[in-house]
Amino acid sequence: MSVVHKITSQDEVLVRAFGASLSELYTQAAGPEASAALTRAVELRSWLAVAEEQVARVRDRIHDATAADRDMGELSAEDLRFDAQWLEAALSARDGYATALTGLLNTMPPPGARPVRPVQLAQPRLITTLPPASAPVRAGAVRARRP
């Protein structure tokens, strides 16, 4: 399944921020006139979808391994340690992508806002030329050696 169709924890925030459905956002992001903010937001959302899927897979695997109806002889401390490490890595990635996406959305200009360019006032420029510098009085003179 494509990341476009996976549900993430940040989907509603993205839809509100950009005012379009997720499939429309992915279509716009692929276009030549896509804003940098939209392109980055869609990329972050895609990575977030993968990270959240990993979190869910490891969580489900741990739940299955520790289910009440499972044989206790099948439990493996080594497998559970490995799953805990994997879960920690997946949660860290998920948190990082969610934080980056939130930061991007918080710094992005409001929809429809035009970029503000600094005002440049036309100021007259004075161009002056200096008269040629006069040569020093002793220009080219050789100093006499002292004994």
Side-chain angles (χ1 to χ4, degrees), residues 49-120:
V50 171
E52 287 183 348
E53 180 182 14
Q54 291 300 312
V55 169
R57 281 184 183 183
V58 176
R59 179 203 58 206
D60 293 347
R61 188 169 47 240
I62 291 171
H63 282 244
D64 288 344
T66 58
D69 61 343
R70 293 283 304 252
D71 180 9
M72 290 207 145
E74 294 178 5
L75 274 177
S76 165
E78 186 175 333
D79 288 347
L80 289 174
R81 265 192 298 278
F82 180 74
D83 284 338
Q85 289 173 345
W86 192 333
L87 183 61
E88 185 177 355
L91 285 170
S92 178
R94 184 232 172 259
D95 292 346
Y97 294 137
T99 300
L101 185 55
T102 300
L104 173 68
L105 294 176
N106 287 338
T107 59
M108 179 174 103
R114 288 191 224 170
V116 178
R117 294 186 181 152
V119 176
Q120 294 181 351

Side-chain angles (χ1 to χ4, degrees), residues 128-134:
T128 60
T129 56
L130 297 174
S134 59

Side-chain angles (χ1 to χ4, degrees), residues 1-7 45 49-50 53 57:
M1 179 189 285
S2 168
V3 293
V4 175
H5 304 292
K6 293 181 189 297
I7 297 171
R45 188 216 170 263
V50 171
E53 180 182 14
R57 281 184 183 183

